[in-house]
Structure formats: C-alpha cells, structure tokens
Amino acid sequence: MKTITLTLAVILAACAAKAAAAPSSGAEPPAVSTRTRELVWPPPPDKPRIRYVRTIKSADDIAPKVEKKKEGFFARLIAMFSGGKVTPDIFNNPYGIWSHEGRIYATDTGAQHLTVVDPKAGTFRYMGDRGEDSLKSPVSVAVDDAGIAYVSDTSEGAVKAYSPDGKLLWKSEGAGGGAGRLNRPAGIALTPSGELLVADSSNRRIVLLGKDGNFIREMCVHAKKEYYALPNPNNVWAFPNGDFMVSDPLAARVHIFSSTGAAIGGFGESGDAPGYMSRPRGIAADSDGNIHVVDALFSRVQVFDRAGQLLVWYGSPGDVAGQLNLPAGIYIDKDGMIYVADTKNKRVGVYQYITYPEEKPSAAPQETK
C-alpha cells in the first residue's frame, strides 16, 4: 500500500511539474471581465462586442448534464498516461462550418465526412462517410431551410447535396474547366433565392449553381482591375441583398461584389499586425453588417466594418478556452451566435456577437442599384 501511495505521489508531482513548465504561446492574456469573469473582447473598460460561450470537442461537451458519465480518478489518470482519452473527440480536422436549427454542420478534411452535431439532443452523427455517397476531401458546407446540406468536395472537383438523413441527392459535373466543371471548389454560400455560390478556386472564379446542381453562370472571371482579381478564391459569404464577398488568402484580401459579380469594394493587405491579414480563410457578416475574417496563420478573427476599418479582434494562439489554432471556417446565425472551426485544436469554438439596441448599425451592406 505504501508503494502504491508513493508511486501515485510521484506521478502527480510529475504532472504538476509538466504543467508548470509548459511553454507560453506568447499570446496576450485573455480578455476577462473582472466583474462577470466572462471571456470578452475588447477587454474592460471598453464595451464588450464578442463573448466566448463554449467549446465543442468531445461527446462530453454536448452530453446532457444529467446523463454525463463521470469517470473515476484512476480512469482519467490511466487515459492521460496511455495517450488515450476517456471520451473520444467528435472532430478530426473541422474546416467548413454552418448552423441550422441549432445543429452544427462541420466538414472534416481529416476524417473525410460531414459531422452533424446536435448540442440540445447531446448527439452527433456523420454524413458522406460510406459507399458511393462518401466524401473524399470535404471543404465547405451550406445548409438550406429544408435541411439539405451542400458540400464542396475539393479532390473530386464537385459539389454534393445530401438529404437531412444523409442520402446523396445529386453531384455536380466532374472536375475540370469550362462552363459547368469545377477545379478544386472551396467555399459555398446560399444566395437569398437559394442558389449556390461556389468559390471555384483553381479556375479563379465564382460559379453560380442551381438548387439541382446545374450550372447557371460564372462570375468574377479575370476582373478587369487587378485589384479585384481572384488568384485563389477561398471562402464566400452572401449578404441579405444578394451582394457577396470572397476571401483570397493569396491576395490577403476580402473582395465585395454585387449579385451579378460586379466589383463593389474590398479591403486587406498582407501583414502580421492587427488590421492586416496573412492567411484569410472563413468570412461572415453579423447583424450589424460587420465583417468577421478568420486569419488562420495568426489564429484570430478580426472584425471590420464594410470600409475595412478594424473594429475588434478575438481569439489568440493556443488551446485553452477562447484560443485558436489554425482556424478555418466561420458562420454567424441570425441570433448572433458565432461558430469557428478551430481546425488544429480539433474542435468548434462558439462565441456570441453582442449588440446594443441604442446603437445604430455601424456597417450595414448597401443595396445594389
């Protein structure tokens, strides 16, 4: 008995020493409100605009509290030293993300499927993970009001549509160039009329597909002004009036176009200081029209007004609450809930955009004439 106690004490001491010696990420300290102990950005005394809500990584993070299985101390200790986990992760490498009716849809490039998480029910399931309906390299996802999930499969050069129960409904034409063929499709967005905007990455254009997957037209092809050219269109987001924006990691910019593909504006410049971009990936707009841009390389999300003025940023490199590691996709729902695919941390971060009724919208999208 004395030997067991001594061994356990040595193990616990080693754990404590390892934690104390863990290297710092070099990031700024979390923006914690001393009044509420909430994780918010910007930090007090400024008005908070973003609030950290939760992280979803394993089944424990969505299990109802009354049903959550409690593991014993020795089970957790053995799992830690054996390299295993008491509860397995839900995600491998989440990349694209969407939310519909409380469910979170995330493409998983590592596991080669679409993960559907229902936090309220405490369940998760996979789509496109078997047979002829399987996904090879899923990148982005969009879900319509009927619950149909549209997924870009980069390696197959196609967009695939899945019914709510996971059955493949259709697949767009095979990879290539020309009118209806895609070459490494990336981001997807739904227009107000329910059509699909697809960032056709290697063809350097945006393609509009119908609800049935048929080609309608191409846009933003070899823009006349080099300023608006798309050397590597990555993600796309549609505004309520039909305008849309595209992030381009190679140009380190966000471009804004009308519903017909005419250039309206944009912003961005390569750099590592706040307000600059290094590798912009996911983009989304909140209810005030502010634009949230995920910068993968610097593990943060920057918020700009439509003119490109930096308003605030949230997240920092690391793996604790509110931190990010090579994030990719982002989605903001009608209630201001923000979902970020925290790719290398193998999880989804959930944040809340905070609005103030007494304030006027700071950057609402302008209607296209």
Side-chain angles (χ1 to χ4, degrees):
M1 183 64 181
K2 184 181 294 184
T3 302
I4 295 175
T5 303
L6 179 60
T7 301
L8 182 58
V10 171
I11 291 174
L12 294 176
C15 291
K18 182 178 180 181
S24 171
S25 64
E28 296 179 1
V32 178
S33 169
T34 55
R35 181 174 60 86
T36 63
R37 305 307 300 173
E38 291 180 322
L39 191 57
V40 295
W41 295 267
D46 293 329
K47 270 187 176 181
R49 297 288 173 171
I50 307 293
R51 176 171 52 242
Y52 168 77
V53 177
R54 65 188 299 192
T55 292
I56 298 176
K57 183 178 176 67
S58 72
D60 274 349
D61 296 322
I62 60 172
K65 291 183 179 179
V66 294
E67 299 179 7
K68 187 174 180 179
K69 182 180 179 181
K70 293 184 178 180
E71 298 290 339
F73 171 77
F74 283 102
R76 296 195 302 272
L77 193 64
I78 292 171
M80 180 178 67
F81 278 94
S82 65
K85 295 178 64 67
V86 174
T87 306
D89 288 343
I90 295 175
F91 309 102
N92 188 318
N93 286 108
Y95 197 88
I97 196 160
W98 196 277
S99 177
H100 174 66
E101 295 185 344
R103 299 181 184 89
I104 300 170
Y105 295 73
T107 57
D108 198 314
T109 57
Q112 299 177 300
H113 58 229
L114 177 68
T115 303
V116 184
V117 180
D118 190 336
K120 291 183 180 179
T123 61
F124 66 93
R125 58 191 175 94
Y126 303 130
M127 287 185 181
D129 61 334
R130 62 186 62 186
E132 296 180 357
D133 299 352
S134 64
L135 293 160
K136 303 300 186 297
S137 183
V139 171
S140 189
V141 59
V143 184
D144 66 16
D145 291 339
I148 297 174
Y150 306 93
V151 183
S152 59
D153 197 330
T154 297
S155 64
E156 287 202 6
V159 172
K160 299 177 180 179
Y162 292 89
S163 66
D165 59 358
K167 294 181 180 179
L168 183 66
L169 300 176
W170 54 257
K171 172 184 173 182
S172 66
E173 290 188 50
R181 294 185 177 274
L182 305 173
N183 192 353
R184 299 191 67 78
I188 294 182
L190 286 164
T191 68
S193 59
E195 295 167 332
L196 289 168
L197 288 166
V198 183
D200 191 8
S201 183
S202 290
N203 283 328
R204 301 179 181 182
R205 64 182 181 178
I206 302 299
V207 169
L208 186 66
L209 299 180
K211 297 178 181 179
D212 54 3
N214 289 327
F215 175 83
I216 297 177
R217 65 175 180 269
E218 62 178 8
M219 297 181 287
C220 315
V221 183
H222 305 301
K224 293 181 179 179
K225 293 183 179 180
E226 185 178 347
Y227 191 67
Y228 295 111
L230 297 175
N232 184 30
N234 189 263
N235 276 272
V236 60
W237 177 273
F239 292 105
N241 69 339
D243 293 347
F244 62 92
M245 58 181 174
V246 182
S247 66
D248 194 314
L250 194 58
R253 282 182 54 78
V254 171
H255 301 272
I256 303 176
F257 300 95
S258 72
S259 59
T260 60
I264 294 177
F267 56 88
E269 185 178 351
S270 182
D272 58 4
Y276 292 83
M277 301 182 192
S278 178
R279 196 183 298 171
R281 294 288 186 186
I283 46 176
D286 60 40
S287 58
D288 287 332
N290 301 317
I291 297 170
H292 298 233
V293 183
V294 175
D295 195 318
L297 190 59
F298 291 98
S299 297
R300 63 189 175 198
V301 182
Q302 299 190 92
V303 185
F304 301 87
D305 64 19
R306 191 163 168 126
Q309 179 68 38
L310 179 66
L311 304 176
V312 68
W313 70 89
Y314 53 102
S316 59
D319 59 5
V320 301
Q323 293 186 328
L324 303 166
N325 188 355
L326 282 177
I330 185 172
Y331 182 80
I332 304 177
D333 68 17
K334 59 182 177 58
D335 297 318
M337 299 302 296
I338 306 169
Y339 303 89
V340 180
D342 191 3
T343 306
K344 287 301 179 183
N345 279 331
K346 303 179 184 295
R347 64 190 186 185
V348 169
V350 184
Y351 304 79
Q352 173 75 56
Y353 176 65
I354 304 172
T355 59
Y356 296 92
E358 70 275 11
E359 295 181 354
K360 294 181 180 180
S362 60
Q366 301 297 315
E367 293 293 331
T368 304
K369 295 182 180 181

